[in-house]
Amino acid sequence: MSRAVSVSLQKGGVGKTTVAINLADALAARGNDVLLVDLDQQGNATEGVGFKEYYESEGPHIGDVLTEDDPVDIDAVIREREGFDVVPAHVDLDGAEDRIRNSTFGVLWVRRRIVEPLLGDRYDYVVIDSPPSLGPLSDAALIGSGNVIVPLLMSEPSVSGFERMWEQQIVPIRQEVDLELLAIVPNDLSGNNEEKRIIDDLETSPFADYLPAFARSAEFDDDDSPGPGVRRRIAFRRSWRDGKTLREYEPDNDMVGRLDELARVVEAGTVDVGESETEEVTASA
């Protein structure tokens, strides 16, 4: 089943862009046609896939799609790269957010002009890197995708950011349109007691069912596991610097498998809190 998903949290510095880029890569590696859409005004995903030159380009760009006056067709701003295609961010996205805010149906533009024309017919999956703040552009990304993955640092400020996002954005949107939380992804973990405490808290919270198997505290007790969640690896920063995904930069990195498991969650449309894909394959071998 084709699906669009936003990677979103209304707080910066949580590794949102890293998850979005590498989720798109993992979905593509599983044989899917994938489009990565960078709607973050900072353009970090655009730079992280090697397309920095498009961020201030004069040609057609995403801001020309998200406008009320004679919008360009989305095909005009899609850029091809190995593995998956990309709609780069542009410096004009702040202007696009103002146009969305001031238009009666602006929050529907991402759905009507990007997702609906492309999803299913051309792409199996559309992954959106959302802005790291509450606002009309972030709302439009969530409404357009209908699904969200939330990356979280295991810290109180990050968890508080998710709670605000849930109460102030996700719940109000869900009162009007369908919006599913697919997964909460503990990200950039280094292995301290605070991380363990917060994972334990999440497992006893109403959001426990949104933690994938690889993100659960049982991984602390597995001698063969590096620990739960997406772990801190210098290769993530180095791959972004080189405009590559983690798989392209270091295909044997132990986090590639974690990202593949996250891609499986997106394909299934739900978290399976049982065995990980790796364990399933081992059991059936």
Side-chain angles (χ1 to χ4, degrees):
M1 177 180 176
S2 59
R3 184 171 285 108
V5 57
S6 293
V7 181
S8 184
L9 182 67
Q10 310 322 317
K11 186 182 186 309
V14 299
K16 172 181 61 66
T17 293
T18 296
V19 171
I21 290 172
N22 288 287
L23 173 60
D25 173 78
L27 286 165
R30 294 170 67 86
N32 299 298
D33 293 322
V34 180
L35 177 68
L36 174 66
V37 180
D38 188 359
L39 288 184
D40 187 340
Q41 294 96 324
Q42 300 172 83
N44 288 328
T46 297
E47 184 171 356
V49 296
F51 285 161
K52 182 179 180 179
E53 70 272 17
Y54 292 112
Y55 184 66
E56 295 183 1
S57 66
E58 295 183 0
H61 54 75
I62 185 63
D64 298 322
V65 176
L66 302 176
T67 185
E68 199 159 23
D69 300 324
D70 194 23
V72 305
D73 190 273
I74 185 61
D75 282 300
V77 301
I78 294 174
R79 311 300 176 190
E80 296 180 355
R81 75 183 301 278
E82 186 175 355
F84 54 90
D85 293 345
V86 179
V87 173
H90 193 269
V91 68
D92 181 56
L93 273 173
D94 280 330
E97 181 160 52
D98 288 339
R99 293 191 290 273
I100 290 171
R101 180 183 293 108
N102 295 322
S103 174
T104 303
F105 299 108
V107 291
L108 299 178
W109 289 347
V110 171
R111 172 186 284 183
R112 292 178 175 175
R113 298 180 185 175
I114 300 175
V115 176
E116 289 180 350
L118 299 174
L119 187 63
D121 292 334
R122 183 164 170 183
Y123 296 101
D124 301 308
Y125 295 94
V126 175
V127 178
I128 300 175
D129 187 24
S130 298
S133 58
L134 293 169
L137 187 56
S138 176
D139 288 347
L142 293 175
I143 292 169
S145 63
N147 299 281
V148 60
I149 286 175
V150 177
L152 280 184
L153 301 184
M154 294 296 93
S155 68
E156 290 297 340
S158 184
V159 173
S160 296
F162 169 60
E163 291 172 345
R164 288 193 301 272
M165 176 185 174
W166 182 263
E167 295 169 1
Q168 299 175 19
Q169 186 176 41
I170 293 179
V171 169
I173 288 175
R174 289 176 68 153
Q175 292 174 351
E176 304 298 333
V177 297
D178 291 336
L179 175 58
E180 298 297 328
L181 175 61
L182 292 187
I184 295 171
V185 182
N187 192 42
D188 196 33
L189 276 71
S190 60
N192 58 52
N193 289 334
E194 180 72 355
E195 293 171 350
K196 187 176 190 306
R197 182 187 68 78
I198 293 177
I199 288 178
D200 288 341
D201 287 348
L202 284 170
E203 288 180 327
T204 58
S205 77
F207 300 102
D209 289 344
Y210 299 103
L211 282 173
F214 70 82
R216 294 181 162 262
S217 58
E219 296 290 320
F220 283 118
D221 302 321
D222 184 349
D223 292 338
D224 296 324
S225 171
V230 177
R231 313 300 292 181
R232 181 175 300 169
R233 298 291 182 263
I234 188 64
F236 278 121
R237 292 194 293 273
R238 290 174 175 170
S239 62
W240 180 88
R241 177 197 63 198
D242 288 356
K244 296 180 179 181
T245 68
L246 181 65
R247 188 189 311 269
E248 292 166 344
Y249 181 81
E250 192 174 282
D252 295 331
N253 191 284
D254 61 348
M255 290 299 102
V256 170
R258 294 277 167 94
L259 295 159
D260 287 338
E261 291 189 49
L262 183 59
R264 185 167 65 95
V265 169
V266 174
E267 289 175 335
T270 186
V271 165
D272 178 2
V273 298
E275 294 179 331
S276 70
E277 182 175 76
T278 302
E279 290 168 337
E280 289 173 352
V281 171
T282 301
S284 62

